[in-house]
Amino acid sequence: MKGICKLCLKDSILRNSHIIPRSYYKNLKENGKLVMVHKGKHSTVGNFDPKEPMLCDDCEQYLSTTFENYGIRVLRDWSNVRKNSDHIIIKSFNYEKYYLYLLSILWRASISKHSHFQGVVGNESLDDALRHCILQNKLRFNKLSRLSIDKFIKICIFRIVDSSGTFNDDAIKGIVSNVGQSYDDTIDAVIWSFIADGFLIIYSISPGKDFYDMMTKKYKSQLNKGSHQKIMKIEIKNSPILLTTFGNVVQALENSIIHPSQNS
């Protein structure tokens, strides 16, 4: 269909664009190991493939080659990972590229009209700031400003583990969730999160006590500039987000055995 590309804002033929990159669930889907978690409802995915007319062909290719090819690969390349008891180290890491890659997912979820992402309430000013940084492939808001978007939207990544043995690593890696939005009053922040490839990705934005506090706030397992990235492990039992998600997964799998025809 024809329309205005959401990224370059040009009148174009629009592609059916994925919000969460298709690579996250393509192989798992083919192997029948994927569980998709959506708004508290769950499905062992057979034909699930949420996408909508959003980007022109040039912008679709731009996101793929500039961000997604790297973003998908970097956490899957175990030859580039050093494992420790409570964290992993990504030994060769492009902070800006990976940050913008994750930002592109949040931006697409925020502007999406698809029912799967209706829980993400967009803000026009924030969406436009995200779009600008993604299109320019820069963290800074503009050439003259010294302010960069990563000072305001903090992104934390955790490697999900389960020492109880309820979920083995293959099962954890086989779960993908939609982007959820909530408010955490303990840190006075709007939170967005999703799960993919065995990782929990959390975005947060907080007004802080003042402008300086907002920019300097730090969180556990937050992405940091540098060629190495430390990613903390997180137990399912220690995270309310994970407890809810994985508890629902158990119910979904039980339902798929008892009522296989009801999966969608």
Side-chain angles (χ1 to χ4, degrees), residues 173-188:
K173 289 180 179 178
I175 293 169
V176 178
S177 77
N178 64 327
V179 180
Q181 180 174 326
S182 60
Y183 182 79
D184 188 338
D185 55 10
T186 63
I187 57 173
D188 188 24

Side-chain angles (χ1 to χ4, degrees), residues 92-144:
S92 179
F93 189 81
N94 187 322
Y95 168 81
E96 186 163 350
K97 186 183 288 287
Y98 193 70
Y99 182 96
L100 287 168
Y101 160 69
L102 292 180
L103 215 63
S104 75
I105 297 175
L106 177 61
W107 172 71
R108 281 176 280 181
S110 182
I111 65 172
S112 173
K113 303 297 184 183
H114 197 287
S115 60
H116 189 70
F117 299 95
Q118 65 185 13
V120 182
V121 181
N123 174 283
E124 187 174 346
S125 297
L126 179 59
D127 290 343
D128 193 56
L130 299 180
R131 185 193 69 82
H132 171 81
C133 291
I134 294 162
L135 183 61
Q136 299 301 318
N137 193 12
K138 299 286 185 183
L139 295 179
R140 288 193 300 175
F141 289 110
N142 57 60
K143 292 181 179 180
L144 299 177

Side-chain angles (χ1 to χ4, degrees), residues 85 159-169 172 233-238:
S85 60
R159 178 68 167 92
I160 303 169
V161 296
D162 181 24
S163 60
S164 75
T166 303
F167 293 92
N168 62 31
D169 203 47
I172 290 171
K233 294 179 181 179
I234 186 170
E235 289 276 354
I236 292 172
K237 65 182 180 182
N238 294 335

